[in-house]
Amino acid sequence: VETIRALQNLYADWRQRLELTGTRSRVAYQALELLMERPLITTKDVEQRTGCSPMGARKALSELEQLGIIVPQGARRPRLLYIAPEVLRIVQGC
């Protein structure tokens, strides 16, 4: 129950942070939902979930990265994998 509540609070915080940017990107909001299901995602995951273009997925992930919601893994460009460390901390109980 505590884990679920913590994830719900985190999701609400993320949405608020995204709303404060003034973005209208439905892809970014859908990516937030995807991160709640799986804290490690790729641009391909976002494309498949939202039906957006690769450019749209990269843009949405860039917005989330700028907000500190996700962290890119690896030094390659384009980024292949993104992680939501706050979700992992909650799920792992750290």
Side-chain angles (χ1 to χ4, degrees), residues 23-43:
T23 187
R24 293 182 176 204
S25 170
R26 73 169 175 80
V27 176
Y29 285 100
Q30 289 176 331
L32 290 181
E33 294 171 11
L34 181 59
L35 287 164
M36 284 289 132
E37 296 169 18
R38 325 193 289 242
L40 285 88
I41 63 173
T42 65
T43 54

Side-chain angles (χ1 to χ4, degrees), residues 3-59:
T3 300
I4 292 171
R5 195 168 291 128
L7 288 170
Q8 288 171 333
N9 290 338
L10 177 62
Y11 180 71
D13 176 64
W14 284 357
R15 282 191 61 91
Q16 182 178 35
R17 287 170 22 193
L18 195 55
E19 287 168 4
L20 289 174
T21 68
T23 187
R24 293 182 176 204
S25 170
R26 73 169 175 80
V27 176
Y29 285 100
Q30 289 176 331
L32 290 181
E33 294 171 11
L34 181 59
L35 287 164
M36 284 289 132
E37 296 169 18
R38 325 193 289 242
L40 285 88
I41 63 173
T42 65
T43 54
K44 192 63 139 176
D45 294 329
V46 174
E47 290 171 44
Q48 291 174 343
R49 173 67 168 257
T50 65
C52 72
S53 68
M55 174 80 81
R58 285 192 301 272
K59 183 177 179 206

Side-chain angles (χ1 to χ4, degrees), residues 3 87-94:
T3 300
V87 173
L88 286 179
R89 270 188 235 112
I90 291 169
V91 171
Q92 294 172 345
C94 299

Side-chain angles (χ1 to χ4, degrees), residues 73-86:
Q73 297 299 297
R76 292 179 46 189
R77 288 240 181 235
R79 303 284 189 205
L80 298 179
L81 182 67
Y82 293 85
I83 185 170
E86 292 171 293

